[in-house]
Amino acid sequence: MPKLTVDGVEVEVPAGATVLQAIEATGKEVPRFCYHDRLSIAGNCRMCLVEIKPGPPKPAASCAMPAGENMEVFTNSPMVEHARKGVMEMLLINHPLDCPICDQGGECDLQDQAMSYGGGESRYEEMKRAVPDKYMGPLVKTIMTRCIHCTRCVRFIDEIAGVPAIGALGRGGATEISTLEAGIDSELSGNIIDLCPVGALTSRPYEFVARPWELTKTESIDVMDAVGSNIRVDARGPEVLRVLPRLNEDVNEEWISDKTRFAIDGLKRQRLDTPYVRGADGRLKPTSWQAALNVVAEKLKATSPEKIAVIAGDQVDAEAMFAAKSLFEGMGVQSIDCRQDGMKIVPGTPRGGYILNEGLLGIESADRLLLIGADPRREAAVFGARIRKRWLQGGFKVGVIGEIGEQTYPTDTVTMDTAADFLAGASNPMVIVGAGALARVDGAAVLAHARSIATVNDEWCGFGVLHKAASRVAGLDLSFLPGPSGRDVNGIFEGVKSGDVETVFLLGADEIDPQDVKGAFVIYQGAVGDVGAGMADVILPGAAYTEKDGTYVNTEGRAQRAFRAVFPPGEAREDWSIFRALSEVMGAKLPFDDLANLRMQMIEKVPALGAIDEQTRGEWGDFGQTGPISDEPFISAVQNFYMTCAVSRASPTMAKCVQEFLAATNKEQDKAHA
């Protein structure tokens, strides 16, 4: 561990650290454009110049210079100040002075550093270079004349996203960053907008929408998948305008998927903002809350508990499920289920049998990975990037059972019979079972087999489930599952067909076939008019995830809190409060009047829901059911990454992505089959 001095302050850094990292260890700021902690070192911009003694009488790029023993580093000497002003002057030679119309304004590193480290005027009087804008798809807008060739975007797409779609053409003053006029076919492409330090890459859907100082910023949690990415929701007035990532090293680092970032325009469309009741003419008609609740209460009272069923959807918060469970179990209803897809994780399964026990971060300690019907790239894009990160470090093999599509790292084809052999000899092997595998008829047998080959000891629990639904783990924690005589999702559908189930309450459940509940009286509670609302007899408008405080538990069992960024539109209400109001109309008032009291009772019953931002292994025990496993290939639970929920299906931006990327892929597949 070398010791060196930075502006007279002694500091000791780990071997291999750079001078820039040593400087920051003392609390000093180093200006930079090309350097990023999570990307390879390029040394392009030269903004991080410092003076080093002993050494040549010229400034050195601190990002690329290894810290050495007894170095003397100077960050504010006359040589350094002169060099930085010169670099900044050079960077601004061709950069247009269009800050007033640039979407990066107010959040621009170039703007900030030009003020802090640049000069007051330029000596350049020649014509500025103009560079044609490049097409990068429906998500990323380019103004390439602003580009300073830091190559952050190139390195991110190549190293982290694993889709080498961006590169540099030309050399010297003729260098251009380009995609060769093709869209960036990556689930993480939007992150290059955050990485761009100038304004060359901005958000196409957000173009000319707002300035950062106009926005109210709220910390929240993403619900587009089960990763639980930490996000910041930026809103102006009643409207959510953008979503940005928050730093959480254990969960999403500082990345989010494109669906998380761009699907929010679906919140503005097809919203349910008033209660509806289907009239005698078969049409849904708006009504008052009191009238709608009276209809629901009368129907529930008139139906015997064994003929009532409740299904929770993929984006429901824990508080809503707790309130629903409290209400319906109090009525004697036992046919409740949070497994909208039919996942074969049954009541009584220990927590270790349905979470990713070593956590998302744990993959970085694994030396072998077996994916059983799991598709990280499309089901959990940020986790897929973390798997690629581990593969790039070396000494890591990935085996795949099933047809899950191309990943961003090489994979070996494995079968259930050869799975144990594939894992043999590894110190920390990890087995991950996907939602697609568990939703099959033989899902319980798959789960049992995965348990039998997983390595579990005091130091390592190499078993995990990769969920795709943000609500699933919380639902399992709350035991939002059928009672002893209750029906699961498939049993509910069979009961509807036979007439044994007459009333179905859909809590944000949109991923079901309308034919499965045809003939039943359907009550739908949710935020967006999608499949569920289309077949409902009564609609109770709920709040979207950006419009309420809620607890979500991600696939690794980490409970996290989302906070309200805007109020729900019209007469829509938070889901838990709807159940509270319904219980009062039914004469069986729930024992809580506010969210704080509800949470207190919820955590008392399920302590894991109160362990906010904590991740630990789950209890281990027997789970699954030994039996035959079908020869049918495992397939991913997500076939269309861009449209997996009511919000994303309502999003015009996601529709453009489907047209741009999936349509082209399907055409190529059709040609290959022909």
Side-chain angles (χ1 to χ4, degrees):
M1 297 181 63
K3 289 184 180 179
L4 62 160
T5 60
V6 177
D7 295 333
V9 178
E10 188 176 273
V11 61
E12 186 175 11
V13 294
T18 64
V19 171
L20 186 150
Q21 291 168 326
I23 297 171
E24 291 192 330
T26 67
K28 292 183 176 292
E29 181 183 14
V30 183
R32 86 290 298 268
F33 293 114
C34 67
Y35 177 81
H36 192 278
D37 291 336
R38 303 185 198 276
L39 303 176
S40 60
I41 295 172
N44 293 335
C45 71
R46 320 307 283 186
M47 196 64 203
C48 65
L49 293 174
V50 295
E51 184 179 357
I52 299 177
K53 294 181 180 180
K58 63 178 183 179
S62 59
C63 70
M65 178 67 68
E69 188 72 29
N70 297 323
M71 270 187 176
E72 290 185 80
V73 180
F74 301 91
T75 66
N76 52 10
S77 67
M79 177 195 292
V80 172
E81 291 181 5
H82 181 74
R84 287 175 178 172
K85 285 183 179 180
V87 170
M88 183 59 68
E89 186 179 16
M90 183 189 72
L91 291 175
L92 293 175
I93 280 177
N94 291 306
H95 195 86
L97 298 177
D98 58 356
C99 297
I101 62 166
C102 179
D103 273 329
Q104 198 84 347
E107 299 173 321
C108 178
D109 291 345
L110 185 66
Q111 216 175 36
D112 295 340
Q113 294 184 40
M115 292 294 295
S116 300
Y117 303 101
E121 59 185 20
S122 174
R123 295 166 292 178
Y124 186 78
E125 298 180 352
E126 287 75 16
M127 292 289 291
K128 289 180 177 283
R129 183 188 73 153
V131 181
D133 295 338
K134 306 297 189 295
Y135 180 73
M136 293 191 178
L139 304 178
V140 182
K141 169 74 175 176
T142 67
I143 304 91
M144 299 312 294
T145 301
R146 300 173 186 163
C147 179
I148 61 171
H149 305 150
C150 71
T151 68
R152 280 187 177 183
C153 57
V154 177
R155 286 174 283 151
F156 174 86
I157 288 295
D158 184 46
E159 298 165 10
I160 295 176
V163 181
I166 307 178
L169 301 175
R171 59 184 298 181
T175 301
E176 296 183 20
I177 302 298
S178 177
T179 60
L180 298 178
E181 299 301 310
I184 306 171
D185 190 5
S186 168
E187 296 76 17
L188 299 167
S189 66
N191 291 287
I192 64 176
I193 298 169
D194 300 331
L195 287 171
C196 182
V198 292
L201 307 177
T202 56
S203 171
R204 189 179 290 276
Y206 184 69
E207 185 180 12
F208 303 139
V209 171
R211 289 298 194 185
W213 52 84
E214 302 173 340
L215 305 175
T216 301
K217 304 169 178 63
T218 307
E219 295 184 350
S220 194
I221 302 298
D222 172 52
V223 300
M224 294 295 166
D225 54 35
V227 172
S229 296
N230 288 217
I231 59 174
R232 193 187 83 194
V233 180
D234 289 358
R236 182 175 61 191
E239 187 178 9
V240 174
L241 296 181
R242 67 176 181 178
V243 166
L244 298 177
R246 287 191 292 123
L247 177 67
N248 190 320
E249 294 288 357
D250 295 339
V251 181
N252 58 302
E253 298 182 284
E254 58 187 271
W255 320 124
I256 54 174
S257 75
D258 288 349
K259 185 167 51 181
T260 299
R261 186 185 299 269
F262 295 110
I264 55 166
D265 57 350
L267 294 170
K268 307 173 189 176
R269 293 163 175 84
Q270 300 177 204
R271 290 304 305 272
L272 303 174
D273 58 0
T274 192
Y276 288 85
V277 174
R278 195 175 297 277
D281 59 356
R283 295 178 178 273
L284 286 167
K285 299 177 181 179
T287 187
S288 67
W289 266 110
Q290 191 62 51
L293 291 175
N294 286 339
V295 172
V296 173
E298 289 172 9
K299 183 63 180 178
L300 293 176
K301 287 179 179 180
T303 308
S304 59
E306 64 272 12
K307 293 188 174 186
I308 299 173
V310 186
I311 303 174
D314 291 350
Q315 297 181 342
V316 183
D317 56 285
E319 289 83 354
M321 286 187 285
F322 178 77
K325 186 171 188 276
S326 300
L327 173 64
F328 286 101
E329 281 194 346
M331 297 167 52
V333 177
Q334 296 198 39
S335 296
I336 64 173
D337 206 341
C338 66
R339 304 163 301 175
Q340 186 178 204
D341 55 2
M343 179 178 282
K344 302 301 185 292
I345 296 177
V346 300
T349 300
R351 201 168 196 250
Y354 59 81
I355 67 170
L356 190 62
N357 286 279
E358 288 296 330
L360 299 164
L361 183 63
I363 194 66
E364 299 186 19
S365 301
D367 56 355
R368 195 153 301 179
L369 172 63
L370 177 63
L371 300 172
I372 304 177
D375 183 359
R377 179 173 177 180
R378 294 159 191 86
E379 296 172 20
V382 173
F383 182 53
R386 200 183 282 273
I387 296 174
R388 174 174 170 81
K389 175 183 176 182
R390 174 62 186 92
W391 171 74
L392 287 172
Q393 295 169 357
F396 184 67
K397 294 181 68 175
V398 181
V400 172
I401 303 178
E403 301 174 359
I404 61 169
E406 184 182 0
Q407 303 299 306
T408 57
Y409 38 82
T411 58
D412 297 333
T413 301
V414 183
T415 66
M416 296 297 279
D417 294 333
T418 62
D421 294 334
F422 175 79
L423 299 172
S427 309
N428 291 335
M430 186 175 286
V431 178
I432 295 180
V433 188
L438 296 179
R440 298 172 15 141
V441 174
D442 59 354
V446 174
L447 194 65
H449 187 75
R451 182 191 182 281
S452 68
I453 61 175
T455 298
V456 180
N457 51 50
D458 292 339
E459 288 76 36
W460 182 256
C461 183
F463 175 85
V465 174
L466 184 63
H467 293 280
K468 69 178 184 68
S471 64
R472 188 61 45 82
V473 175
L476 296 171
D477 284 343
L478 287 164
S479 194
F480 200 96
L481 298 167
S485 62
R487 298 170 178 265
D488 62 9
V489 163
N490 292 322
I492 292 169
F493 298 155
E494 292 172 2
V496 171
K497 289 181 175 66
S498 66
D500 294 329
V501 174
E502 297 178 357
T503 301
V504 180
F505 195 111
L506 300 178
L507 177 55
D510 291 283
E511 313 308 315
I512 60 176
D513 188 339
Q515 293 300 316
D516 288 332
V517 294
K518 188 177 181 181
F521 186 89
V522 178
I523 305 160
Y524 179 80
Q525 181 174 316
V528 179
D530 197 61
V531 177
M535 55 189 168
D537 295 287
V538 179
I539 296 176
L540 305 177
Y545 69 102
T546 57
E547 299 160 0
K548 59 185 174 182
D549 297 336
T551 303
Y552 296 93
V553 186
N554 72 352
T555 194
E556 61 178 357
R558 183 189 302 268
Q560 301 182 108
R561 289 274 170 80
F563 297 96
R564 182 176 61 205
V566 295
F567 287 95
E571 297 182 53
R573 299 290 183 266
E574 295 186 32
D575 291 307
W576 75 266
S577 67
I578 296 174
F579 288 113
R580 170 62 179 75
L582 178 60
S583 72
E584 193 162 7
V585 175
M586 294 189 65
K589 183 178 173 183
L590 290 172
F592 45 79
D593 296 319
D594 53 36
L595 186 61
N597 194 253
L598 182 155
R599 281 178 173 168
M600 184 178 67
Q601 296 182 37
M602 179 180 73
I603 294 169
E604 185 178 350
K605 290 190 176 183
V606 186
L609 297 176
I612 303 301
D613 205 31
E614 295 180 13
Q615 192 280 323
T616 57
R617 297 182 195 172
E619 308 86 34
W620 193 252
D622 291 330
F623 53 85
Q625 184 175 354
T626 303
I629 297 176
S630 170
D631 292 331
E632 289 292 317
F634 297 103
I635 60 173
S636 171
V638 174
Q639 297 299 310
N640 179 353
F641 165 78
Y642 298 103
M643 291 186 176
T644 56
C645 63
V647 176
S648 57
R649 284 191 289 270
S651 166
T653 302
M654 294 295 97
K656 291 177 183 177
C657 290
V658 170
Q659 185 177 9
E660 175 90 14
F661 302 118
L662 294 189
T665 302
N666 293 335
K667 284 182 182 179
E668 290 177 4
Q669 290 176 348
D670 292 341
K671 287 180 182 179
H673 290 254

